C-alpha cells in the first residue's frame, strides 16, 4: 500500500455488469444505458425496503444469466445498501444463497465493495465475486429525512436518491475492463450538519482520497479519460473542483459526477442531482462500463462518495462526516 | 476457496488485541481477562451512541499503545457495530483518521471483519490491519426493541447486549497466534420472527457454516481445543448442538458460546446470555487470546453469529435471517 493505494498484481477483470433502475433514472439522459427499466418502483412488494431487496435480487440474477454463471459458481457477494442494518441486501442474500460479506460506507459502499472484492479475486481467495449496491428514493427519504406522505418541501441543496441496483461480476480470467489499483479513503469531517446538503459534507473526503490517489500513483487527473465522483451533485462537485485546484491537482473537463450524469437536473427537478448507494453503482455498471467496452473510454477513475449520516446522528445534532474510495479501471495493457 | 473456506498462504498473525467493557461484563465470570473496565457506560458523552463511539476510539488507541504502533503505521481499519448506519464506528473513524472499510453483518461483523482483514494482510495489500467491533446495551435496546425508559419486561428467551469493544491487530510478521483458514457464511432464514429470540434465529446459520467448514477442511469439532460461537446464548447453543448431531458433526465438551461465557446467567439476570457485535469481539480479544498466549488453548474455531434484524423489518413482520462466519486460530506450525 502506498499512500492508501493498493496495486493489484494479477488481473482483476470485470466479467460483466447488470443494472436495473426506476422511472426517474429511465427518463434521465443516460437512461438507455441501463439494462432493465421498471415503471413501478414498488415491484409488487409490501414495502419500499422489500422492493429495494427485490431490485437487488433481480439485478444479481440478471447478471448471472448474462454471464451464464449459476449461484454455485459465485464464491462471494460483497454488497450493501442504505437501509438501516442493510435490510434490503440481507433479504436479497437470503434468497440468493451466496456467501456474503455485508459492507456499509453509506453511498461510498460500492467503492468499498469493489476494492474488497478485488482483493479476494487478486489474492486468489475467490474465483468469481459479485459487488452490488442498491438504493431506493422512498426507503431513503423516510429513513434519513421525512416520510414521503408528509409532503415536505425539498430544499435547493438536496439531492434525489437513485432508485436502482447495479452489480459487477469480477473474476481473474475473462474481461476487457480491469481494475489496476484502488485507494481506500479515510473519514473526513468538515462539520456540515445539514442532512439536505450532502454534497458539501462529502466534497472534502473526495478531495482527501483523490489527492492520496494522485500522490500514491504518480498520476494526475489528465491520466484518466474520465474522473467520476459518486454523488456530490452540482454543488458538491463545484466545491471539489475548487478544493482540487487549491491542492495543485486541478480537475478538467474530464471530470464529472454520477449524480450529475444520471438526471436532467432542471427538467427532472432533482435540485443538485442524484445520490444514494445505487448512484455510482448504476452509472458505472450501466453507462461507464458500456463506454469502456465500446472503446470510447480507456482509463476511468471512479470515486464513490459517502455521507456518513444516520437519523440518530442527525437528531443528536451531529455533523455529517464523509468518506470516499477511488478505483482505477482500464482497458489497456 | 473450498466449500466457502479460504486457506491463507502466508502467516496472518495476531500482533496484539485490546478490549474495553462496561460494568456488567466486568462483573461476569471472565471479567478479569478484559484490558479496561469502565464503571460508567456513558463515558461522559451526550448519548449512548456517542458513548459507543468513545468505547471504539479508546479500544483502538489502547491497542496502538500496547503494540507501540501509531495511527500512520496502520494501513486499514475493518470495523463495524450495530447502530443504524454504524454511527458509532463512523464517528470513531473520524477521530482516528485511519483508512476505513465499514462492515455490517450484525453480530457476525467481527467475523466478516477478521476474514476481510486477513485477506488484506495475507495478500500483501496491507501490512497492519485493525479489525474492531463494538456494541452497547443501551443503544441496541432502544434501536432494536424498546427505549430503556419504557421499562419493558425482558422475555425469557432474550439476551443481554454486551457493552464493550474489542480490537485485533493483524500483521504478517509478529505474533504467536495466527489465522490459518476461514469460512464465509451464507444468509439462512428459518422464519423466526421474535426479535427477543435471536438464538433460535441464528442457530441454523451457525450449523450451515460449521458444516461447510468441517467439509471444506476435513476437520471435525474435536480437531479444535475450543469451538466457540458468537452469541447464540443458552437456548441457541442447545439448538445448535442438536442440529450438529443430526448432521453427523456432533459438538462435544469443547464447544461453548461467547454469550454464555461472558455473564453469570442466573446471578446477572441476562436470560439466555450475552449478544451483540461486541460479544464475540471482547470474548475473543480478551479471554480466548490470552488463553492461547498462555498455551492453554492451541486451536480455536471462532464462529461469530449474526441476527439480520432491523427495527424496520421487525415492524414489517419479516423473519430474522441469520449469518455466521468461522475463523480458525492456531498457535501451531
Amino acid at each position: 500500500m502506498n499512500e492508501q493505494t493498493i496495486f493489484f498484481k494479477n488481473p482483476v477483470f470485470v466479467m460483466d455488469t447488470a443494472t436495473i433502475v426506476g422511472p426517474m433514472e429511465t427518463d434521465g439522459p443516460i437512461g438507455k444505458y441501463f439494462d432493465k427499466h421498471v415503471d413501478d418502483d414498488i415491484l409488487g412488494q409490501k414495502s419500499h425496503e422489500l422492493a429495494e431487496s427485490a431490485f437487488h435480487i433481480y439485478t444479481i440474477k440478471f447478471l448471472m444469466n448474462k454471464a451464464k454463471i449459476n449461484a454455485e459458481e459465485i464464491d462471494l457477494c460483497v454488497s450493501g445498501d442504505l437501509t438501516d442494518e442493510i435490510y434490503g441486501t440481507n433479504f436479497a442474500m437470503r434468497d440468493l444463497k451466496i456467501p456474503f460479506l455485508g459492507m456499509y460506507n453509506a453511498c461510498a459502499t460500492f467503492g468499498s465493495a469493489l476494492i474488497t472484492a478485488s482483493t479476494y479475486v487478486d489474492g486468489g481467495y475467490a474465483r468469481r465475486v459479485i459487488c452490488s449496491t442498491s438504493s431506493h428514493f422512498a426507503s431513503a427519504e423516510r429513513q434519513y429525512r421525512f416520510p414521503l406522505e408528509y409532503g415536505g418541501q425539498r430544499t435547493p441543496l438536496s439531492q434525489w436518491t437513485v432508485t436502482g441496483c447495479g452489480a459487477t461480476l469480477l473474476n481473474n480470467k475473462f474481461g476487457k475492463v480491469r481494475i489496476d489499483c484502488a485507494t481506500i479513503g479515510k473519514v473526513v469531517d468538515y462539520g456540515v450538519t445539514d442532512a439536505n446538503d450532502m454534497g458539501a459534507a462529502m466534497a472534502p473526503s473526495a478531495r482527501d482520497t483523490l489527492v492520496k490517489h494522485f500522490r500514491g500513483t504518480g498520476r494526475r487527473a489528465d491520466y484518466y479519460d474520465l474522473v467520476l465522483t459518486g454523488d456530490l451533485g452540482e454543488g458538491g462537485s463545484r466545491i471539489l473542483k475548487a478544493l482540487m485546484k487549491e491542492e495543485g491537482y486541478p480537475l478538467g473537463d474530464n471530470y464529472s459526477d454520477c449524480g450529475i450524469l444520471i438526471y436532467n437536473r432542471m427538467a427532472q427537478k432533482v435540485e443538485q442531482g442524484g445520490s444514494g448507494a445505487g448512484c455510482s453503482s448504476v452509472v458505472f455498471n450501466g453507462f461507464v462500463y458500456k463506454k469502456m467496452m465500446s472503446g470510447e473510454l480507456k482509463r476511468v477513475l471512479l470515486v464513490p462518495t459517502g455521507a456518513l449520516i444516520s437519523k440518530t446522528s442527525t437528531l443528536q445534532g451531529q455533523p455529517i462526516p464523509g468518506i470516499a474510495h477511488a478505483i482505477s479501471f482500464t482497458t489497456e495493457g
Side-chain angles (χ1 to χ4, degrees), chain A:
Chain A
M1 214 181 259
N2 186 22
E3 292 262 9
Q4 304 172 213
T5 299
I6 288 173
F7 297 90
F8 296 109
K9 293 155 286 189
N10 306 305
V12 179
F13 291 116
V14 178
M15 193 165 172
D16 216 330
T17 68
T19 47
I20 303 185
V21 296
M24 283 280 286
E25 295 70 27
T26 302
D27 292 345
I30 57 169
K32 66 174 180 183
Y33 290 94
F34 304 121
D35 294 324
K36 290 270 172 191
H37 307 87
V38 295
D39 292 335
D40 167 18
D41 69 3
I42 194 85
L43 290 177
Q45 301 295 317
K46 283 183 183 168
S47 72
H48 286 109
E49 289 79 14
L50 289 172
E52 185 167 344
S53 200
F55 266 94
H56 221 123
I57 295 167
Y58 291 164
T59 309
I60 292 179
K61 285 194 174 168
F62 185 70
L63 177 56
M64 293 192 295
N65 269 336
K66 262 176 104 174
K68 296 188 179 60
I69 298 276
N70 60 41
E72 290 72 42
E73 295 170 287
I74 306 292
D75 284 336
L76 179 63
C77 279
V78 186
S79 308
D81 68 77
L82 295 182
T83 56
D84 288 344
E85 288 72 63
I86 61 169
Y87 174 8
T89 306
N90 292 337
F91 277 69
M93 293 302 148
R94 176 190 67 170
D95 288 13
L96 291 165
K97 298 184 176 61
I98 298 170
F100 166 51
L101 294 170
M103 303 292 298
Y104 188 83
N105 268 163
C107 306
T109 304
F110 186 56
S112 34
L114 275 173
I115 302 175
T116 299
S118 297
T119 62
Y120 277 92
V121 169
D122 184 57
Y125 310 109
R127 294 158 305 162
R128 291 175 210 93
V129 182
I130 288 177
C131 322
S132 60
T133 55
S134 61
S135 53
H136 195 295
F137 177 71
S139 63
E141 278 306 306
R142 78 162 181 160
Q143 181 179 291
Y144 289 103
R145 294 166 204 97
F146 300 108
L148 295 179
E149 296 83 348
Y150 173 73
Q153 206 172 351
R154 295 178 62 77
T155 66
L157 294 176
S158 70
Q159 292 176 239
W160 190 275
T161 305
V162 165
T163 298
C165 182
T168 316
L169 174 57
L170 297 178
N171 81 122
N172 56 13
K173 287 213 174 81
F174 309 105
K176 180 175 173 182
V177 177
R178 67 183 176 89
I179 298 176
D180 66 324
C181 65
T183 307
I184 303 179
K186 294 180 183 180
V187 177
V188 176
D189 181 14
Y190 266 52
V192 174
T193 53
D194 181 358
N196 288 304
D197 183 10
M198 295 194 301
M202 295 186 284
S205 64
R207 183 246 311 251
D208 193 69
T209 299
L210 275 171
V211 169
K212 298 289 168 50
H213 179 78
F214 292 143
R215 274 199 222 143
T217 58
R219 300 173 185 172
R220 297 182 69 86
D222 58 12
Y223 172 86
Y224 292 100
D225 298 327
L226 178 65
V227 174
L228 191 63
T229 46
D231 57 351
L232 297 182
E234 190 63 42
S237 294
R238 268 211 304 273
I239 298 173
L240 178 64
K241 277 192 259 186
L243 294 171
M244 291 305 290
K245 205 173 159 185
E246 222 174 72
E247 294 283 350
Y249 289 105
L251 299 173
D253 291 341
N254 62 337
Y255 166 68
S256 191
D257 180 76
C258 299
I260 296 176
L261 292 178
I262 195 166
Y263 298 124
N264 188 330
R265 225 156 58 75
M266 294 304 167
Q268 294 188 291
K269 296 186 178 148
V270 294
E271 307 300 342
Q272 298 300 313
S275 67
C279 184
S280 57
S281 174
V282 300
V283 173
F284 172 77
N285 290 300
F287 179 72
V288 176
Y289 179 68
K290 285 169 192 174
K291 291 274 178 197
M292 292 190 83
M293 288 303 283
S294 72
E296 280 175 82
L297 295 171
K298 287 189 172 65
R299 296 166 174 175
V300 174
L301 187 67
L302 181 73
V303 189
T305 39
L308 300 170
I309 182 184
S310 79
K311 186 157 56 186
T312 321
S313 61
T314 307
L315 289 173
Q316 291 177 4
Q318 292 299 313
I320 305 167
I323 191 162
H325 304 296
I327 299 99
S328 166
F329 293 93
T330 179
T331 55
E332 293 178 335

